[in-house]
Amino acid sequence: MGVQISPSILSADFANLESELARVAGADWAHVDVMDGHFVPNLTLGLPVVERLVQVSPVPVDVHLMIEEPDRWAPGYAEAGAQNVTFHAESAAAPVRLARELRRAGARAGLALKPATPVEPFVDLLPEVDMLLVMTVEPGFGGQPFLDVCLPKVRRAREAVRAAGLDVWVQVDGGISPATIERAAEAGADVFVAGSAVYGAPDAAAAVEELRALAAAAC
């Protein structure tokens, strides 16, 4: 499918989320971070808000669950209409079963890895998911600097997907900006989450297109 840009509303104005979503109508996804204050040291929003965001978003909603017990809670986000639901390998009790439940509910299933979590233990799970999210910052807060140390893991993820002959997207999330997106694309990422680089720009739509062009040129 080529380069995809998924602006993170974590950097948007939470008092005006419908209008903030309209600012990125030219993006491929709207990235929604759900944090529970336990798996990560931050608390954002939950299922009722996401259900409403799905109804008003001009683009598909990409939910990233940074929560404990995703096996219990993740299917509800798919049932609410999120078109991609990503859960963390570190907190899922039965990741294969959960991925299959998400797919049965009509969503794409994503598997996320923290910066220190290696790819290799999860290579055999790749046929069960639609996307592998490699975190390029420690999850929990927006605006953190990009961790170049994660680039070799992005490369290994892309190589594993290619070796298996699968159509699994490789997403990167954290510190993505015009200064870093080319390195991530060169490493093999094809879906890019960007928060402050988009919502902190004077023209969010133009920022999306700039990121798309930079990544496409580097692929």
Side-chain angles (χ1 to χ4, degrees):
M1 189 170 177
V3 168
Q4 299 179 70
I5 306 297
S6 185
S8 172
I9 66 166
L10 188 62
S11 297
D13 178 359
F14 270 38
N16 298 283
L17 285 179
E18 184 172 2
S19 60
E20 291 287 79
L21 287 168
R23 293 176 64 199
V24 296
D28 300 282
W29 299 86
H31 189 83
V32 179
D33 290 306
V34 175
M35 308 183 196
D36 63 0
H38 299 284
F39 181 69
V40 293
N42 196 4
L43 184 66
T44 54
L45 43 79
L47 183 56
V49 176
V50 171
E51 189 170 19
R52 182 65 180 133
L53 292 176
V54 168
Q55 295 170 356
V56 301
S57 177
V59 294
V61 171
D62 169 26
V63 172
H64 177 193
L65 298 175
M66 288 172 267
I67 63 173
E68 294 182 351
E69 298 188 78
D71 304 75
R72 176 182 180 185
W73 300 110
Y77 290 86
E79 293 162 3
Q83 293 194 26
N84 188 88
V85 179
T86 297
F87 58 91
H88 269 266
E90 301 87 357
S91 60
V96 171
R97 183 176 64 197
L98 178 54
R100 291 179 179 180
E101 287 182 15
L102 293 173
R103 284 173 156 181
R104 278 197 296 270
R108 295 176 60 86
L111 181 70
L113 306 176
K114 289 182 176 182
T117 303
V119 170
E120 287 73 18
F122 304 99
V123 167
D124 289 343
L125 273 61
L126 288 177
E128 300 289 343
V129 300
D130 302 290
M131 186 173 75
L132 186 64
L133 166 54
V134 177
M135 292 297 298
T136 45
V137 298
E138 289 295 339
F141 296 94
Q144 299 182 65
F146 182 82
L147 295 174
D148 282 274
V149 70
C150 296
L151 288 174
K153 184 161 73 171
V154 175
R155 292 190 182 92
R156 295 196 302 274
R158 174 53 62 197
E159 289 165 2
V161 168
R162 189 178 296 118
L166 298 170
D167 182 22
V168 173
W169 300 343
V170 177
Q171 185 181 68
V172 286
D173 180 0
I176 298 299
S177 71
T180 61
I181 195 168
E182 291 173 290
R183 300 201 296 279
E186 288 167 357
D190 52 9
V191 186
F192 305 87
V193 177
S196 54
V198 171
Y199 280 110
D203 186 334
V208 167
E209 293 311 313
E210 179 187 11
L211 291 170
R212 192 193 308 280
L214 288 169
C219 287

